[in-house]
Amino acid sequence: MPHTREGGSLSIPRTVRTIASLPGEGSVAVWQGAVASLSMAVGGLGVGWMASGSSLIRVPFFIALRDSPVLVVLCTVLVAFGGLFLVRAWLRLGQRVDDWSSVHPMVAVKAAALWCAPFMVTFPMLSRDVYSYIGQGRLMAAGLDPYLNGISALNNYHNLGPDSLWTEAPTPYGPLFLWIEQAVVAVSGGSLEIAFVLFRIVAVIGVALCAFSVVGLSEHFGLDPSKTLWLTVANPLFVINFVASIHNDALMLGFLLLGLLAAVKRRPVLAAVLVTASIGVKPITIIALPFIGLIWAGKGAGWGRRVACWAGTGAASLALLTVAGAATGFWFGWLPAMATPGTLWIWYAPFGLASEIAGNVTRAVGGDPELVAGIIKGIGTALGALGALWFVLRGGTERIFLRMALAFTAVVLTASMIQPWYITWLMALFALVGIREGWPLLTYYVATVFFTVIALTDQLDVFEWIPLWGVRAVAIVLSVAFVAYMVLWDWKTRVLFAPLIPKRSGA
């Protein structure tokens, strides 16, 4: 078990402070990752999400880039190749650094920053959620309740570029993020480009909070901060989903980890405030509150102290959320809105796939497919909640971080919709528990590769007269080929996945 200390200091005596001096030729991998990110960013100019109301849509350069099927395919190749090459660079960085203890944490932070930088000057990639953020900010500016009104309540809302799945749905975000959305819309002055750049800056702030917290938490648990940073903020899933795709999960996770850092440093009130801020971005992190109470209770605490700490943590959070709800005038409208993502499904989510199959079978025999699918999704949600509760109550005040990671995993894996960025929450928490060599690290690699491929092949923005299926087929074929190359033929990376490959029997 890793050695645990009561507190953590960010002043870590290391000698290696530059990327160029990374041991084991690690600097080569860092610069390969930079090239990969630049490739993706350039491709994003052609297939990243551009709203129809964008002022850039009439610029001749973008018209030429997006009107030509050949250039659109080229941009798709740059995005898919860049994304998987970034994964390979990340894997090689882990291989080339033999001793992470000789690497100063700032070197890992600089590597992550280098990989994130190209995305600051391209369109939102592989997701258009940021355009929903802009629409919700405009709802706030118009004095409309985003928990009761979808973006479709706005005039010409299609020009804002949101996904049609969300235009009539209430926002599932908390009051803090509503204020951020409103502030961004006010500062951007109606410019979609300025707005998504500002949201990217918000995401980068979230990544910075993650990095700071990871260092402190790693020290506390006796883990190597540099290696944990490599597993988290420098991970391609974090880079792509937080900065390239501009998801508010970056800020949500940043506040959550910062709250956990405050908790282990015996600052329970500050911890409750910071975790409540995370809930105020995306309420899913309400799962962490009882674990904050357990950390506050301390090792060996009996049921009486645990219940008292749970009550104190819950009361502090409830008071803050009540004040925020009163300030917005929307109170706790986010509670019913949290069910919005549960109406969707995806094939690799077990309960999502089961609900779709059952719904189709029910339709074939003349039944109500939506009722049956809804029941199965509801069962999954209930099982996830019960699983999370079990991890809260089971084990007393021991192995709190592992149980919290498992509680989040229970909720995510029983959902009917599992987005690639949801996996970043789990990866961060498990990395702070400690990823051992062997199958735990292999699982981490496989999850990174799989969900990167899902992200790269899911959402590409092309003009309607260019066949989207053909463009996505290019992304899928290239991604599968690159993964096969890394796993089966690349002699440098295939050793990482060797346990997955069946051994040939001898003659």
Side-chain angles (χ1 to χ4, degrees):
M1 291 293 291
H3 173 65
T4 302
R5 296 182 298 203
E6 280 302 310
S9 167
L10 297 184
S11 59
I12 305 166
R14 305 289 174 92
T15 56
V16 181
R17 295 181 179 274
T18 64
I19 290 173
S21 59
L22 271 169
E25 298 181 350
S27 60
V28 175
V30 173
W31 289 109
Q32 287 176 339
V35 171
S37 293
L38 182 61
S39 169
M40 284 191 71
V42 172
L45 296 176
V47 293
W49 285 99
M50 178 192 289
S52 59
S54 170
S55 60
L56 300 179
I57 201 166
R58 296 178 182 82
V59 174
F61 171 76
F62 292 113
I63 293 176
L65 191 63
R66 290 169 173 263
D67 195 49
S68 166
V70 173
L71 293 180
V72 168
V73 169
L74 176 60
C75 288
T76 302
V77 170
L78 288 173
V79 169
F81 169 79
L84 272 301
F85 192 41
L86 180 61
V87 171
R88 186 184 183 278
W90 177 73
L91 293 171
R92 292 293 293 140
L93 178 59
Q95 286 181 305
R96 285 171 163 168
V97 178
D98 299 323
D99 181 15
W100 282 101
S101 65
S102 66
V103 179
H104 193 279
M106 278 306 299
V107 177
V109 170
K110 289 177 181 177
L114 187 64
W115 293 355
C116 290
F119 297 117
M120 300 302 294
V121 289
T122 192
F123 291 108
M125 297 181 61
L126 311 174
S127 172
R128 44 180 159 167
D129 280 5
V130 68
Y131 291 117
S132 294
Y133 304 163
I134 295 171
Q136 289 155 10
R138 293 194 176 188
L139 284 173
M140 290 283 288
L144 298 174
D145 185 345
Y147 297 132
L148 297 177
N149 298 278
I151 301 169
S152 58
L154 298 169
N155 292 328
N156 300 318
Y157 67 93
H158 286 296
N159 292 336
L160 300 179
D163 192 321
S164 59
L165 288 172
W166 304 109
T167 53
E168 296 187 18
T171 176
Y173 308 132
L176 176 58
F177 197 67
L178 292 184
W179 283 326
I180 293 173
E181 290 173 330
Q182 186 176 11
V184 166
V185 166
V187 173
S188 63
S191 169
L192 294 174
E193 292 74 33
I194 294 175
F196 72 65
V197 168
L198 291 175
F199 275 117
R200 243 194 198 118
I201 292 172
V202 171
V204 168
I205 291 171
V207 173
L209 292 177
C210 289
F212 177 86
S213 305
V214 161
V215 172
L217 287 165
S218 297
E219 281 195 295
H220 175 82
F221 290 116
L223 302 173
D224 192 295
S226 298
K227 184 174 183 179
T228 313
L229 285 168
W230 166 69
L231 288 168
T232 54
V233 296
N235 187 295
L237 278 181
F238 286 70
V239 174
I240 293 172
N241 288 296
F242 286 174
V243 182
S245 298
I246 325 181
H247 284 114
N248 60 0
D249 298 65
L251 191 62
M252 176 203 79
L253 186 61
F255 278 131
L256 173 62
L257 296 181
L258 198 59
L260 294 172
L261 178 59
V264 299
K265 288 191 172 185
R266 315 307 298 171
R267 299 174 183 173
V269 175
L270 178 60
V273 171
L274 289 169
V275 173
T276 302
S278 178
I279 296 169
V281 177
K282 293 188 76 169
I284 187 66
T285 49
I286 199 169
I287 296 169
L289 273 182
F291 294 100
I292 294 292
L294 289 174
I295 296 171
W296 181 10
K299 289 186 177 181
W303 278 104
R305 179 166 174 78
R306 275 184 262 171
V307 171
C309 291
W310 282 332
T313 304
S317 183
L318 179 61
L320 290 170
L321 291 170
T322 301
V323 170
T328 61
F330 307 144
W331 295 99
F332 289 89
W334 49 268
L335 283 172
M338 284 179 67
T340 300
T343 60
L344 306 176
W345 75 279
I346 200 162
W347 61 270
Y348 54 80
F351 281 91
L353 180 60
S355 68
E356 183 66 9
I357 293 174
N360 287 334
V361 171
T362 303
R363 182 182 292 107
V365 298
D368 186 344
E370 293 186 3
L371 175 62
V372 172
I375 290 173
I376 292 177
K377 291 175 182 177
I379 292 172
T381 300
L383 289 176
L386 289 173
L389 181 61
W390 191 85
F391 287 116
V392 169
L393 300 176
R394 176 78 173 178
T397 55
E398 300 298 321
R399 309 187 75 179
I400 294 173
F401 265 64
L402 175 59
R403 287 157 50 204
M404 179 168 53
L406 292 171
F408 273 93
T409 302
V411 171
V412 169
L413 294 186
T414 55
S416 59
M417 185 69 182
I418 303 174
Q419 299 284 15
W421 49 95
Y422 296 179
I423 306 304
T424 58
W425 321 338
L426 311 184
M427 297 181 89
L429 294 173
F430 280 112
L432 291 166
V433 173
I435 303 295
R436 300 190 309 274
E437 297 290 332
W439 71 263
L441 187 58
L442 177 60
T443 302
Y444 209 90
Y445 291 155
V446 171
T448 299
V449 171
F450 178 81
F451 285 101
T452 298
V453 170
I454 293 297
L456 294 173
T457 58
D458 184 32
Q459 293 196 39
L460 300 167
D461 183 28
V462 299
F463 285 152
E464 58 185 14
W465 55 85
I466 297 177
L468 177 59
W469 66 266
V471 176
R472 287 192 67 187
V474 170
I476 292 171
V477 170
L478 181 56
S479 296
V480 171
F482 201 114
V483 170
Y485 166 72
M486 287 194 298
V487 173
L488 299 175
W489 292 291
D490 186 341
W491 66 272
K492 294 180 178 179
T493 57
R494 69 184 183 184
V495 295
L496 300 174
F497 301 94
L500 298 175
I501 310 302
K503 294 181 179 180
R504 297 178 181 177
S505 58

